Amino acid sequence: MSIVSSVRNYILDFPELKDGRLQVDFLDTKAVEYTVETVPVNPIIKKYVDGGTLKQYNFIFASREFFGTDVNQNIENLNFYEQFSEWIETQNKNQVFPELETGKEAQSIEILTSGYVFEMDSDNARYQIQCRMLYEED
């Protein structure tokens, strides 16, 4: 299973995710849905003398949400990302991580930014949060 598939399956367990509409590298411009997108980075953080490596997989978790002059709606959208951050922190404390293919083991998932509006139209906006998974590979 690919890393992005593992991360997607992991995020599908987030209880606040509506309807399980979690895409990969695609986000509709009108519908309320979610996506996991890869971020280009050098994956190798550290090489061990035994040949193993500590690697990173950076990704964006994003959504398309209703947006506009309704302050409560916009607060609710940002609250969703606060809840996601708290869920990730709890998962880390409980050492619940994505299941990776043989020879790879997730060590942690970090939140790199708070949730924020990335782009907006008159009635919807793309919100996103940047994350990083650290994992060891044999």
Side-chain angles (χ1 to χ4, degrees):
M1 177 184 305
S2 69
I3 292 176
V4 71
S5 294
S6 297
V7 169
R8 180 183 179 274
N9 290 340
Y10 177 78
I11 292 174
L12 281 170
D13 289 338
F14 176 49
E16 301 302 317
L17 197 65
K18 300 171 192 140
D19 302 326
R21 294 191 60 176
L22 183 57
Q23 304 288 347
V24 173
D25 284 343
F26 175 79
L27 191 60
D28 195 339
T29 58
K30 296 295 177 192
V32 174
E33 68 179 13
Y34 309 93
T35 187
V36 174
E37 299 175 349
T38 58
V39 176
V41 295
N42 180 356
I44 298 174
I45 293 176
K46 184 177 184 177
K47 292 184 180 185
Y48 301 118
V49 293
D50 67 358
T53 53
L54 176 63
K55 292 186 170 183
Q56 64 181 337
Y57 176 77
N58 290 31
F59 63 95
I60 291 172
F61 174 57
S63 64
R64 180 72 58 190
E65 305 283 349
F66 295 113
F67 171 86
T69 58
D70 182 354
V71 171
N72 291 327
Q73 176 65 55
N74 299 341
I75 289 171
E76 184 180 318
N77 294 343
L78 289 171
N79 185 52
F80 173 84
Y81 284 93
E82 286 180 24
Q83 291 173 330
F84 180 74
S85 293
E86 291 169 4
W87 180 75
I88 292 290
E89 288 175 15
T90 300
Q91 297 291 85
N92 274 309
K93 286 178 189 173
N94 295 330
Q95 297 186 3
V96 177
F97 305 117
E99 291 184 33
L100 304 177
E101 64 188 30
T102 303
K104 298 177 182 177
E105 185 176 346
Q107 302 297 308
S108 67
I109 293 187
E110 303 171 83
I111 301 297
L112 300 178
T113 66
S114 58
Y116 60 95
V117 174
F118 182 74
E119 63 182 19
M120 63 188 97
D121 291 330
S122 60
D123 62 346
N124 68 54
R126 175 194 167 107
Y127 287 81
Q128 66 182 39
I129 191 167
Q130 296 178 22
C131 308
R132 174 173 82 159
M133 179 179 67
L134 297 177
Y135 66 98
E136 291 188 340
E137 185 174 358
D138 294 340

